[in-house]
Amino acid sequence: MIRITFRDHQGELREVDAQIGDTLMESAIKANVPGIDAECGGACACATCHVYVDPSFLQRTGSAGDMEQSMLDFAENVKSNSRLACQIYMDETLDGLTVSTPESQQ
């Protein structure tokens, strides 16, 4: 089990257990994390699972691909650490990951 922490725009923390191989978005949906709507169901066709990755985990989550970057172009308040949760796959190296959800997704 991998432990992930979601922080909302007001600083409220929600710890979630994630399964190896699931996406961050799937883990959030299973745990009913507010701010992760996943309207496209994880097809990288929307930006309703936009998160800010803690800078200490950026290398471990990898870079956004072309399709993900195109979807981020439609998101609000995109930052250098913005990612779509549907494109981050859980593995052992992400245990302890903290992500924040933008205020616009609350």
Side-chain angles (χ1 to χ4, degrees), residues 18-89:
Q19 298 287 329
I20 292 173
D22 280 357
T23 65
L24 181 59
M25 180 217 71
E26 291 168 328
S27 302
I29 294 299
K30 288 177 187 175
N32 296 312
V33 173
I36 304 292
D37 293 332
E39 290 177 4
C40 73
C44 197
C46 71
T48 60
C49 67
H50 176 206
V51 295
Y52 303 121
V53 175
D54 182 281
S56 65
F57 278 87
L58 277 175
Q59 271 195 313
R60 292 183 239 176
T61 60
S63 301
D66 291 340
M67 192 161 82
E68 180 180 0
Q69 195 58 57
S70 292
M71 287 299 105
L72 284 169
D73 288 342
F74 294 103
E76 293 182 37
N77 303 311
V78 173
K79 300 178 182 180
S80 61
N81 61 335
S82 288
R83 291 293 309 274
L84 297 181
C86 67
Q87 300 301 298
I88 299 174
Y89 286 86

Side-chain angles (χ1 to χ4, degrees), residues 1-4 16-21 90-92 94-96:
M1 209 47 90
I2 300 165
R3 191 61 136 180
I4 307 297
V16 171
D17 289 324
Q19 298 287 329
I20 292 173
M90 299 292 93
D91 66 32
E92 300 86 3
L94 296 178
D95 189 36

